[in-house]
Amino acid sequence: MRLSLRQLQIFLAIAESGSTTAAADLIALSQSATSSALIELESMLDARLFDRLGKRLKINDNGRLLLPQARQMLDAASTIEKQFAPGGLESGAGLHIGASTTIGIYLLPKMLSAFGLKQAGAAPSVTIANTSEIATAVINFELDIGLIEGPWHDPDLHVEPWIVDDLIVVAAPSHPLVCDNSQHPISIKALREALWLLREPGSGTREAVEHALVPYLHSINAGGQFSNSEAIKHAAAEGLGLACLSRLVVADFISAGRLVELSTPLPILKRNLFLIHQRHKVLSARLQTFLRFCRERSNQK
């Protein structure tokens, strides 16, 4: 077999950086050695993988065909190395975990502590971003597992429902609807006219809120868009609008009296949180152990 993992590593570095010079810096090779490896790979495959635009290399159709296969092979090789490293079968060291914002802030730290990843040298790498970014990174083998707040439909992803999360509508104690609610029930019309504080497009929370509210309100009158739920919580506490957030996010502010849970004519609002991994990923022993742990947490929840 003439194809080597090193060639695929160089190919991926060029695809990500756009030039052999930048790729050489990423993988600690000389520029000439990087160029030679690419030429050798293209010659062996009898196909150009990049279009040459001066000094820039832009991946073409052939390269895009090879890209997911190269990622899969390198990920499998990396999994083998990590699995048989000292302590690799017992610890969670080396795991690359991705979590969407609410899960990453409010659930994952306690989970990692319970999983026993506090000791030095055994901590995993954790990435927190919105659902879209986590799903993309899992698809590209950049993350071993994702914990996300909305369903994601892609043929390369294995997606399984995980925890059912409660969504509640909250506002500052000074908000007009809170004051009116003491005298009169809140109407659907009042909710339609109110300003709502929302997450950015691509967020699992944004998708869940729209899925829960739009069938009843028909549209959501946006009063602001924020990149994380914590910012929405603080904005709502300052009276900038209503928020529909996970009970996990706002429990502390409700206890402190900074936010009030509204009684509305809406049905009970819930959403699923999901576990995802690349469908073609080799699941190491430690990753399977962590997946089992996550599923057990679901049962406890």
Side-chain angles (χ1 to χ4, degrees), residues 230-256:
E230 191 72 12
I232 292 178
K233 176 172 75 172
H234 282 269
E238 295 300 325
L240 296 182
L242 302 184
C244 182
L245 292 170
S246 166
R247 189 179 295 277
L248 292 168
V249 174
V250 297
D252 55 344
F253 272 31
I254 291 176
S255 297

Side-chain angles (χ1 to χ4, degrees), residues 155-166:
D156 288 326
L157 274 186
H158 171 82
V159 181
E160 62 179 276
W162 179 36
I163 289 174
V164 177
D165 184 31
D166 295 329

Side-chain angles (χ1 to χ4, degrees), residues 6 8-31 33-35 50 56 71 74 142:
R6 187 59 164 166
L8 295 179
Q9 182 187 35
I10 291 169
F11 162 72
L12 281 182
I14 296 171
E16 291 170 2
S17 64
S19 74
T20 55
T21 301
D25 292 335
L26 289 176
I27 55 179
L29 274 183
S30 68
Q31 190 275 334
T34 302
S35 295
F50 298 92
R56 300 290 299 171
R71 284 177 173 148
L74 289 173
E142 296 164 8

Side-chain angles (χ1 to χ4, degrees), residues 65-251:
L65 179 64
L66 177 60
L67 197 59
Q69 298 167 318
R71 284 177 173 148
Q72 183 179 351
M73 291 184 67
L74 289 173
D75 178 75
S78 176
T79 297
I80 292 171
E81 289 181 346
K82 291 174 184 175
Q83 183 162 309
F84 292 96
L89 294 176
E90 293 80 20
S91 78
L95 283 181
H96 294 268
I97 301 170
S100 52
T101 309
T102 299
I103 297 172
I105 294 174
Y106 294 96
L107 282 179
L108 189 57
K110 290 181 180 179
M111 289 176 56
L112 296 182
S113 177
F115 190 57
L117 298 182
K118 296 180 290 184
Q119 63 269 36
S125 170
V126 175
T127 297
I128 298 176
N130 70 30
T131 290
S132 175
E133 293 167 322
I134 295 299
T136 299
V138 171
I139 290 168
N140 292 336
F141 293 95
E142 296 164 8
L143 294 170
D144 297 319
I145 182 175
L147 296 81
I148 61 174
E149 298 165 42
W152 199 259
H153 309 288
D154 189 284
D156 288 326
L157 274 186
H158 171 82
V159 181
E160 62 179 276
W162 179 36
I163 289 174
V164 177
D165 184 31
D166 295 329
L167 293 173
I168 62 175
V169 178
V170 295
S174 60
H175 193 282
L177 284 185
V178 175
C179 301
D180 292 344
N181 196 206
S182 62
Q183 303 294 327
H184 308 285
I186 296 174
S187 67
I188 290 291
K189 181 176 182 293
L191 293 175
R192 285 177 184 153
E193 293 173 351
L195 294 176
W196 291 82
L197 308 175
L198 302 171
R199 283 288 304 274
E200 79 286 1
S203 157
T205 297
R206 171 70 173 262
E207 182 178 349
V209 167
E210 290 179 339
H211 181 75
L213 296 182
V214 169
Y216 304 96
L217 306 185
H218 305 312
S219 63
I220 301 176
N221 191 13
Q225 183 173 290
F226 300 82
S227 62
N228 62 70
S229 297
E230 191 72 12
I232 292 178
K233 176 172 75 172
H234 282 269
E238 295 300 325
L240 296 182
L242 302 184
C244 182
L245 292 170
S246 166
R247 189 179 295 277
L248 292 168
V249 174
V250 297

